[in-house]
Amino acid sequence: MRGYFAVRRPGHDGRGGFAVPARLRTAGPPLALLAAGPAGAAYLWSRNPHLPGQVLPFCPFRRITGLDCPGCGGTRMTYDLMHGDFAAAWHDNAALLLSLPLVALLYLTWLRHGLAGRSWQPPLGRRGTAVLLGVAVSWTVLRNLL
């Protein structure tokens, strides 16, 4: 004889929670980023990170060491790009600006796989990770020396 808890109800995962469809589980994170991006851009549009006193995120690495990290200037670069000032965006963070097409391609691949119900992560491997870290460290050293 089966008890009440042994019966599987539709939409119920049998552990006290509700089953989340695979497509929603895999597409949720990239879709959430797609929704948060315009909200963050709208907020940044009205703030000028080049001026002091703006309520914007800060870099903990720079705050502690006084040096720029590989991502420092990313907020200013985004602001400048949104306002059409490509020269200022290049000055703020050239490496990040050059990586934007690759970041967009990676995001679109993640979104496509998520909408198809498949999970995905970038296929870096050890060599790719070493190259990525080497570029980041080199960029950090160069931008702090120049």
Side-chain angles (χ1 to χ4, degrees):
M1 182 169 157
R2 295 185 334 190
Y4 173 76
F5 294 107
V7 176
R8 302 251 341 207
R9 296 179 301 268
H12 199 271
D13 69 358
R15 295 177 298 189
F18 287 93
V20 177
R23 191 171 299 232
L24 180 60
R25 192 172 43 251
T26 58
L31 288 174
L33 187 61
L34 186 64
Y43 179 77
L44 183 58
W45 178 267
S46 65
R47 306 286 186 262
N48 186 347
H50 297 284
L51 300 176
Q54 301 297 314
V55 181
L56 293 167
F58 65 90
C59 175
F61 182 81
R62 185 171 186 177
R63 180 141 316 164
I64 292 170
T65 66
L67 300 172
D68 288 336
C69 78
C72 277
T75 303
R76 293 186 306 272
M77 182 203 71
T78 304
Y79 175 85
D80 292 334
L81 280 177
M82 289 192 307
H83 288 84
D85 192 349
F86 294 103
W90 178 265
H91 179 266
D92 292 330
N93 194 325
L96 193 57
L97 183 63
L98 289 173
S99 72
L100 285 180
L102 178 62
V103 170
L105 178 66
L106 290 172
Y107 172 76
L108 291 174
T109 303
W110 183 35
L111 178 63
R112 182 174 50 86
H113 281 268
L115 291 174
R118 299 183 306 264
S119 63
W120 181 83
Q121 40 185 342
L124 278 177
R126 287 181 181 220
R127 186 170 291 170
T129 302
V131 167
L132 185 64
L133 287 173
V135 168
V137 168
S138 299
W139 172 240
T140 302
V141 170
L142 280 173
R143 71 186 311 203
N144 284 297
L145 289 177
L146 300 177

